[in-house]
Amino acid sequence: SSAARALSPAPPAPTPPRRVRPARCAGFVGPAVESATPGARAATLASSRGGTDSSLAICRVLNGMWQTSGGWGRIDRADAVDAMLAYADAGLSTFDMADHYGPAEDLYGMFINKVRRERPPEMLEEVRGLTKWVPPPVKMTRSFVEENINRSRKRMDVAALDMLQFHWWDYANPGYLDALKHITDLKEEGKIKTVALTNFDTERLQIILENGIPIVSNQVQHSIVDMRPQKKMAELCELTGVKLITYGTVMGGLLSEKFLDTNINIPFAGPPLNTPSLQKYKRMIDAWGGWSLFQALLQTLKKVSLKHGVPISTVAVRYILNQTSVAGSMVGVRLGLSEHIRDTNAILLLLLDEEDMGSITEASQRGRNLMEVIGDCGDEYRA
C-alpha cells in the first residue's frame, strides 16, 4: 500500500569512493622518536659512516612477509594487497621482505601503487619497504650487485630501496666486504636509502664497521627463548649506534595461548606443528630446554598477560622491544588469510613494569644459554 511505501526506508545512496585517512605511526610525526622511549611507536635507524649520514624511521613492530613464500597457505594477491593496506591504515606501515620470499617484493610493488592512488600523500611518506638480498657465494662484482639491487627496485616499484639487508652464507669467503662496498656505492648514487645486515655475528659486524660500511641495523633471531643477541651483539650495538631488528620473536606462534597446557610430544594430542616457522622454532625450544620447561615459561607469560589484559604473544614481543639496542620486532603477517592488527597495536601500548620484566627474565634464564649451544647470532645458518 501507499502507507507502507511511505514508511519503508529509502534505498541507500551509492557510497562515494573514500580516501581513507590512515592512523599514524606516531614517531613519523615531527622528529623521530628514539626507540628507548617507553610507548614509542617508531624508532630511527641511523649511521654517519661511509661519508654521508643516513637514517630511516620505522615502526617498532614490523610486518614480516616470510609467510608469503609458501608453506602457510595459498596467497591470493589481491587479498594480500588489501590486507597490507589495512595494516598500513592502522599505523603498522613498515613491511619486511626478501628477494627470495616468493612474491613478497611484487606484492609490495602492487601495494605501494595502491597507496599512491588511494591514500593521502603523507601516508606514502610513512610506508617503509625493507628487503633483503641473499646472494650465492659467487664473485661480488659491481655489475652483479647492481643487477640484483635493480631487480628488487623494479619488483617493489621504487626509485630507491628504503633498506637493503644483506646476508652472507660463508664467512671464509671474504666477498661479503666487496658486496657491501658496492652496496654502499649504490646508496651514494641514490638507489638505496640505508644499508643493513641480517644474521651476521658480532665479530663480522665489527669488521664491517671497521671497513667504513654505514650499517644501521642487523636483523637477528631474538625471543624470550633465544636471548643470544643480548650476550655479545647488543654491547657492540650500544658502542656503535647500530640497532637490532628481531624476528622469531613470537616463535612462529609457539609463544601463545594455543600451545599453553599442551603436550605435542604425544601424536595428535596438541596443535599440529604444520608451518615452517613452527617446526623451526620447536627446534629452538628443544635446544633451550624442552617442552616442559617451555610450558613453565608460557605459564609465567600467561600471568603477565592476564594482568594487562593482552595475549601472551603481545607480552612476548614487548619484552624483546624493551631489550638493549632493539629498535623493532617482526610479527609475521598471513596476508589475506588472518590478521592480528589489534593485538599488534597493543604491543606498542603495553608497558611492562619491573616485576613483569623480572619474572619473564627469570623464566627465560631457567633454560640453557643458547650462545653456548648454538653460537652467536646467525650461527644456526652456518653450522
Side-chain angles (χ1 to χ4, degrees):
S1 70
S2 57
R5 278 197 302 276
L7 290 171
S8 63
T15 309
R18 70 190 177 110
R19 283 176 73 84
V20 175
R21 187 151 294 278
R24 311 298 301 275
C25 198
F28 295 178
V29 183
V33 179
E34 275 307 305
S35 58
T37 310
R41 288 183 64 91
T44 301
L45 309 172
S47 171
S48 55
R49 290 175 195 82
T52 57
D53 288 355
S54 57
S55 68
L56 190 74
I58 62 165
C59 272
R60 295 206 67 202
V61 177
L62 299 88
N63 306 313
M65 293 178 68
W66 181 31
Q67 298 184 6
T68 64
S69 61
W72 286 266
R74 188 183 161 274
I75 295 283
D76 177 277
R77 291 194 174 206
D79 289 348
V81 170
D82 286 344
M84 291 173 77
L85 214 52
Y87 275 90
D89 284 339
L92 301 165
S93 51
T94 301
F95 295 85
D96 179 89
M97 66 212 83
D99 59 336
H100 63 290
Y101 289 2
E105 290 184 337
D106 301 303
L107 290 171
Y108 184 84
M110 293 163 67
F111 157 73
I112 201 73
N113 270 301
K114 202 157 187 175
V115 171
R116 287 168 186 148
R117 289 193 311 270
E118 299 179 12
R119 294 295 183 270
E122 60 264 28
M123 181 166 172
L124 195 58
E125 291 164 26
E126 291 192 1
V127 170
R128 302 284 183 264
L130 284 47
T131 195
K132 304 179 199 75
W133 182 38
V134 183
V138 297
K139 189 169 175 58
M140 292 289 122
T141 63
R142 158 75 192 218
S143 61
F144 182 74
V145 174
E146 186 169 18
E147 181 187 322
N148 281 275
I149 298 323
N150 284 344
R151 185 179 300 122
S152 287
R153 288 170 60 225
K154 186 176 179 183
R155 290 179 71 192
M156 294 172 72
D157 202 7
V158 291
L161 301 176
D162 288 326
M163 178 186 286
L164 183 73
Q165 302 166 99
F166 177 72
H167 175 90
W168 190 251
W169 292 108
D170 181 14
Y171 294 145
N173 175 348
Y176 65 90
L177 286 172
D178 298 325
L180 284 164
K181 282 169 183 168
H182 295 314
I183 288 166
T184 304
D185 289 341
L186 290 166
K187 175 192 165 296
E188 298 303 314
E189 292 164 27
K191 293 186 173 182
I192 299 166
K193 293 179 186 173
T194 51
V195 180
L197 303 172
T198 179
N199 291 316
F200 272 81
D201 65 7
T202 312
E203 184 186 338
R204 255 54 61 157
L205 173 58
Q206 183 149 10
I207 290 168
I208 289 164
L209 293 173
E210 285 167 358
N211 275 269
I213 307 296
I215 299 300
V216 298
S217 62
N218 185 22
Q219 187 177 136
V220 292
Q221 184 172 294
H222 196 355
S223 68
I224 296 169
V225 164
D226 185 359
M227 294 295 290
R228 287 176 298 155
Q230 295 303 316
K231 306 294 180 192
K232 197 174 169 188
M233 176 73 66
E235 189 181 352
L236 178 61
C237 289
E238 282 289 278
L239 289 170
T240 59
V242 172
K243 298 290 186 188
L244 298 174
I245 295 175
T246 77
Y247 67 87
T249 309
V250 293
M251 304 189 76
L254 287 165
L255 285 167
S256 69
E257 285 78 2
K258 184 177 179 181
F259 289 92
L260 179 64
D261 297 326
T262 62
N263 185 351
I264 59 166
N265 296 318
I266 302 169
F268 310 111
L273 301 179
N274 56 358
T275 69
S277 49
L278 286 171
Q279 292 154 15
K280 173 183 180 177
Y281 295 117
K282 169 59 167 64
R283 292 193 292 273
M284 282 289 152
I285 289 168
D286 294 341
W288 172 74
W291 196 252
S292 60
L293 200 60
F294 183 66
Q295 285 300 310
L297 172 61
L298 285 179
Q299 293 285 358
T300 299
L301 291 172
K302 184 64 182 171
K303 280 181 196 152
V304 176
S305 78
L306 288 171
K307 171 179 163 181
H308 293 280
V310 295
I312 285 173
S313 58
T314 297
V315 175
V317 180
R318 184 73 247 180
Y319 179 83
I320 296 301
L321 283 177
N322 289 358
Q323 301 301 312
T324 302
S325 292
V326 173
S329 290
M330 203 82 56
V331 174
V333 288
R334 296 175 71 170
L335 298 171
L337 299 174
S338 64
E339 60 91 355
H340 309 284
I341 289 172
R342 203 162 139 200
D343 292 345
T344 304
N345 262 324
I347 297 164
L348 296 163
L349 299 170
L350 176 61
L351 295 175
L352 296 176
D353 60 31
E354 272 184 50
E355 184 189 0
D356 300 329
M357 292 295 291
S359 67
I360 297 167
T361 299
E362 188 189 334
S364 168
Q365 289 176 347
R366 285 186 205 132
R368 294 188 195 100
N369 175 359
L370 289 182
M371 196 83 170
E372 293 168 5
V373 180
I374 299 169
D376 201 0
C377 302
D379 282 1
E380 64 271 27
Y381 297 103
R382 300 178 180 91

